[in-house]
Amino acid sequence: AQKVTQAQTEISVVEKEDVTLDCVYETRDTTYYLFWYKQPPSGELVFLIRRNSFDEQNEISGRYSWNFQKSTSSFNFTITASQVVDSAVYFCALSEESQGGKLIFGQGTELSVKP
Amino acid sequence: DARVTQTPRHKVTEMGQEVTMRCQPILGHNTVFWYRQTMMQGLELLAYFRNRAPLDDSGMPKDRFSAEMPDATLATLKIQPSEPRDSAVYFCASGFPVQGSDVTFGSGTRLTVV
């Protein structure tokens, strides 16, 4: 069965610190997709990244980077030099081809970046 | 940028009333999802459609919730009768998830049932 675990419920850092948000997933599929979304205080869900199961290359986009490791079933998200505007709830999600592509979300990690 | 449009943004209604939430998915997307977000349960999948056909609605309370896609530009989620425990934010999303595309969410409908 598909499952996503974000063990960190809340994280608080001071501006300019680096922070890593953990995501562990469970799946029996060989073809699956992993997503990260950001939900700022305004409430919308903003797409950040999608990764397929055949591409384990790490990705960097500005201050954001993602580390996908199939060996540990993890897809962790790092924010470098955090800023107050990064304060939000971050969700990791899994989509399995065999399940018709529905997204199953983790419980989310609330990140608070203090000035 | 293409976006998923949800109406209304906010809805306050009395218990027992019918509530209809609407979603205009991104043109051309073949899959439409309905999610509900609450503090206790997080983001739960209620139902989803592929090419307008319902694929899975097992997440919905069947006795009061119904989801339809009357055409490719409109998805609806109805609650009849509404109850206070239905108070939540309801999100619609669209994409090509099996093809591994982005799944784009609407801004949500915040429903309060008093």
Side-chain angles (χ1 to χ4, degrees), chain B residues 5-26:
Chain B
T5 303
Q6 288 187 248
T7 56
R9 291 294 308 274
H10 302 273
K11 176 72 176 179
V12 180
T13 191
E14 291 187 348
M15 185 172 64
Q17 296 297 305
E18 177 177 302
V19 175
T20 298
M21 289 169 272
R22 292 178 173 81
C23 168
Q24 181 177 355
I26 293 173

Side-chain angles (χ1 to χ4, degrees), chain B residues 29-41:
Chain B
H29 280 181
N30 70 350
T31 306
V32 175
F33 300 91
W34 282 105
Y35 283 86
R36 175 170 65 183
Q37 186 177 30
T38 61
M39 288 293 294
M40 293 300 295
Q41 300 298 326

Side-chain angles (χ1 to χ4, degrees), chain B residues 35 56 89:
Chain B
Y35 283 86
D56 185 353
V89 179

Side-chain angles (χ1 to χ4, degrees), chain B residues 72-84:
Chain B
T73 65
L74 177 65
T76 62
L77 180 67
K78 288 187 182 179
I79 308 175
Q80 169 61 24
S82 57
E83 298 181 0

Side-chain angles (χ1 to χ4, degrees), chain B residues 78-112:
Chain B
K78 288 187 182 179
I79 308 175
Q80 169 61 24
S82 57
E83 298 181 0
R85 60 180 166 150
D86 301 328
S87 298
V89 179
Y90 292 81
F91 287 102
C92 176
S94 72
F96 296 99
V98 175
Q99 287 78 17
S101 81
D102 306 351
V103 175
T104 303
F105 280 75
S107 299
T109 294
R110 181 175 294 277
L111 174 65
T112 303

